[in-house]
Amino acid sequence: MPMRKLIIGSLAAAALAALAAPADARTNVDVFVNVGPPPVRYEVVPAPRIGVLWAPGHWAWRGHRHVWVPGHWVRNRPGFAYAPARWVDRDGRWHYEPAAWRRWDERYYAYGW
Protein backbone atom coordinates (compact mmCIF):
# COMPACT_ATOMS: atom_id res chain seq x y z
CA MET A 1 0.00 0.00 0.00
CA PRO A 2 2.78 2.56 0.76
CA MET A 3 4.23 2.04 -2.75
CA ARG A 4 0.87 2.79 -4.30
CA LYS A 5 0.64 6.09 -2.33
CA LEU A 6 4.15 7.00 -3.50
CA ILE A 7 3.24 6.38 -7.13
CA ILE A 8 -0.02 8.34 -6.88
CA GLY A 9 1.77 11.20 -5.11
CA SER A 10 4.49 11.27 -7.75
CA LEU A 11 1.93 11.35 -10.57
CA ALA A 12 0.05 14.19 -8.87
CA ALA A 13 3.27 16.18 -8.44
CA ALA A 14 4.20 15.63 -12.10
CA ALA A 15 0.76 16.78 -13.23
CA LEU A 16 1.02 19.96 -11.16
CA ALA A 17 4.51 20.65 -12.51
CA ALA A 18 3.25 20.23 -16.08
CA LEU A 19 0.51 22.78 -15.45
CA ALA A 20 2.96 25.30 -13.95
CA ALA A 21 5.45 25.15 -16.84
CA PRO A 22 3.40 27.23 -19.33
CA ALA A 23 3.12 30.04 -16.75
CA ASP A 24 6.91 30.38 -16.73
CA ALA A 25 6.93 30.91 -20.49
CA ARG A 26 4.82 34.09 -20.28
CA THR A 27 7.50 36.62 -19.32
CA ASN A 28 7.22 39.17 -22.13
CA VAL A 29 4.67 41.83 -21.21
CA ASP A 30 4.46 45.26 -22.85
CA VAL A 31 3.31 48.14 -20.66
CA PHE A 32 1.66 51.20 -22.20
CA VAL A 33 0.23 53.98 -20.05
CA ASN A 34 -1.23 57.41 -20.79
CA VAL A 35 0.62 59.09 -17.90
CA GLY A 36 4.29 59.94 -18.37
CA PRO A 37 6.76 59.14 -15.61
CA PRO A 38 7.76 61.81 -13.08
CA PRO A 39 11.25 63.36 -13.39
CA VAL A 40 14.12 61.00 -12.68
CA ARG A 41 15.27 61.14 -9.06
CA TYR A 42 18.82 62.09 -8.22
CA GLU A 43 20.82 59.17 -6.86
CA VAL A 44 24.35 59.11 -5.56
CA VAL A 45 26.19 56.60 -7.71
CA PRO A 46 28.58 54.47 -5.65
CA ALA A 47 32.24 54.10 -6.59
CA PRO A 48 32.88 51.56 -9.35
CA ARG A 49 33.40 47.92 -8.39
CA ILE A 50 35.12 45.15 -10.29
CA GLY A 51 32.78 42.70 -12.04
CA VAL A 52 29.57 44.68 -11.53
CA LEU A 53 27.78 47.60 -13.15
CA TRP A 54 25.54 50.20 -11.52
CA ALA A 55 21.99 49.99 -12.91
CA PRO A 56 20.43 53.44 -12.39
CA GLY A 57 17.08 53.85 -10.68
CA HIS A 58 13.94 54.23 -12.78
CA TRP A 59 10.18 54.63 -12.57
CA ALA A 60 8.18 51.39 -12.90
CA TRP A 61 4.41 51.03 -13.30
CA ARG A 62 2.76 49.22 -10.39
CA GLY A 63 -0.99 48.92 -10.38
CA HIS A 64 -2.19 52.40 -11.28
CA ARG A 65 0.83 54.58 -10.60
CA HIS A 66 4.55 55.08 -11.11
CA VAL A 67 6.81 53.72 -8.36
CA TRP A 68 10.51 54.53 -8.01
CA VAL A 69 12.86 51.54 -8.24
CA PRO A 70 16.24 52.50 -6.75
CA GLY A 71 19.51 51.80 -8.52
CA HIS A 72 21.35 48.59 -7.79
CA TRP A 73 24.39 46.54 -8.79
CA VAL A 74 24.15 43.96 -11.58
CA ARG A 75 26.81 41.42 -12.57
CA ASN A 76 28.80 42.43 -15.61
CA ARG A 77 28.37 40.25 -18.71
CA PRO A 78 31.43 40.28 -20.99
CA GLY A 79 30.47 40.69 -24.64
CA PHE A 80 27.19 42.41 -23.75
CA ALA A 81 26.12 46.03 -23.29
CA TYR A 82 23.64 47.05 -20.59
CA ALA A 83 20.58 49.06 -21.62
CA PRO A 84 18.88 50.59 -18.53
CA ALA A 85 15.11 50.58 -18.13
CA ARG A 86 13.39 53.58 -19.72
CA TRP A 87 10.06 55.06 -20.81
CA VAL A 88 9.55 55.99 -24.47
CA ASP A 89 6.80 58.34 -25.68
CA ARG A 90 4.94 56.75 -28.60
CA ASP A 91 2.27 59.09 -29.93
CA GLY A 92 1.16 60.28 -26.50
CA ARG A 93 1.29 56.85 -24.87
CA TRP A 94 4.23 55.83 -22.73
CA HIS A 95 5.89 52.47 -23.36
CA TYR A 96 8.07 50.87 -20.68
CA GLU A 97 11.23 49.19 -21.93
CA PRO A 98 12.77 47.05 -19.17
CA ALA A 99 16.50 46.85 -18.59
CA ALA A 100 18.25 44.32 -20.79
CA TRP A 101 21.64 42.96 -21.73
CA ARG A 102 22.27 43.04 -25.47
CA ARG A 103 25.14 41.52 -27.40
CA TRP A 104 27.84 44.09 -27.97
CA ASP A 105 27.51 45.55 -31.45
CA GLU A 106 28.60 49.04 -32.50
CA ARG A 107 25.43 49.37 -34.61
CA TYR A 108 23.41 49.74 -31.39
CA TYR A 109 25.22 52.96 -30.58
CA ALA A 110 24.68 54.32 -34.10
CA TYR A 111 20.91 53.74 -33.87
CA GLY A 112 20.34 54.35 -30.16
CA TRP A 113 19.53 50.67 -29.47
Side-chain angles (χ1 to χ4, degrees), residues 75-101:
R75 272 190 207 280
N76 196 12
R77 293 183 64 189
F80 289 80
Y82 182 76
R86 66 183 185 152
W87 287 91
V88 178
D89 183 4
R90 294 189 181 167
D91 299 322
R93 296 183 68 207
W94 290 89
H95 178 252
Y96 177 74
E97 295 181 356
W101 287 96

Side-chain angles (χ1 to χ4, degrees), residues 37-38 41 57-70 87 96:
R41 290 186 178 175
H58 64 278
W59 291 103
W61 187 258
R62 301 279 193 268
H64 302 290
R65 64 187 181 98
H66 291 282
V67 175
W68 180 253
V69 177
W87 287 91
Y96 177 74

Side-chain angles (χ1 to χ4, degrees), residues 15-74:
L16 289 174
L19 292 174
D24 291 340
R26 293 175 277 174
T27 59
N28 188 12
V29 176
D30 286 335
V31 176
F32 285 91
V33 295
N34 295 325
V35 180
V40 175
R41 290 186 178 175
Y42 174 76
E43 288 186 315
V44 176
V45 178
R49 296 182 186 176
I50 295 173
V52 291
L53 174 77
W54 181 253
H58 64 278
W59 291 103
W61 187 258
R62 301 279 193 268
H64 302 290
R65 64 187 181 98
H66 291 282
V67 175
W68 180 253
V69 177
H72 57 278
W73 294 107
V74 292

Side-chain angles (χ1 to χ4, degrees), residues 81 102-113:
R102 296 189 173 106
R103 285 212 173 272
W104 170 254
D105 189 337
E106 292 180 14
R107 292 175 297 169
Y108 288 131
Y109 288 101
Y111 297 105
W113 296 101

